[in-house]
Amino acid sequence: VQLMESGGGLVRPGGSLRLSCVASGSVFSSSAVAWFRQAPGKQRELVAAITGGMSAHYEDFVKGRFTITRDNAKKTVWLQMNSLKPEDTAVYYCNFWLTPIDWGQGTQVTVSS
């Protein structure tokens, strides 16, 4: 199984981006998938996660701003990010929440004026 992130970019504070995570392989629909991020000089941290049953979890620092969704038929998880702040600048990764596999390259999100 592989997970591939895309959708990052440069956006001004207050702007929006939508990240995509596409999975290959058969193990997806029953697995919880999460978005993580790692800012320069900081440890990787959990951002949001969604279970196979569509239950979502958000870290406090993104509640009300980010929305995680998934389409099991498309083997895709999205992270809609609104009201972006400079402190959201990081490389964003997706992975299985409870049993992570090798990390991909991630997608860079830069929030700057």
Side-chain angles (χ1 to χ4, degrees):
V1 177
Q2 288 185 320
L3 300 169
M4 182 170 293
E5 308 93 343
S6 64
L10 172 64
V11 63
R12 294 184 185 278
S16 298
L17 281 174
R18 189 191 196 202
L19 306 184
S20 298
C21 171
V22 180
S24 62
S26 59
V27 181
F28 180 80
S29 60
S30 61
S31 301
V33 178
W35 283 96
F36 302 81
R37 70 185 187 187
Q38 187 167 20
K42 294 187 177 181
Q43 290 189 332
R44 187 177 288 135
E45 61 183 357
L46 175 69
V47 174
I50 187 166
T51 69
M54 306 298 177
S55 294
H57 164 82
Y58 299 95
E59 292 296 289
D60 286 345
F61 53 80
V62 301
K63 281 183 179 177
R65 300 190 299 125
F66 291 10
T67 304
I68 189 169
T69 56
R70 68 188 291 166
D71 184 328
N72 289 333
K74 295 181 179 180
K75 296 185 179 179
T76 302
V77 174
W78 295 276
L79 184 68
Q80 177 67 44
M81 307 187 294
N82 299 328
S83 301
L84 282 162
K85 305 175 181 179
E87 51 263 44
D88 294 318
T89 295
V91 179
Y92 284 70
Y93 303 86
C94 65
N95 209 327
F96 295 108
W97 189 12
L98 301 178
T99 54
I101 60 175
D102 289 344
W103 295 93
Q105 293 187 340
T107 186
Q108 175 70 48
V109 172
T110 303
V111 185
S112 175
S113 56

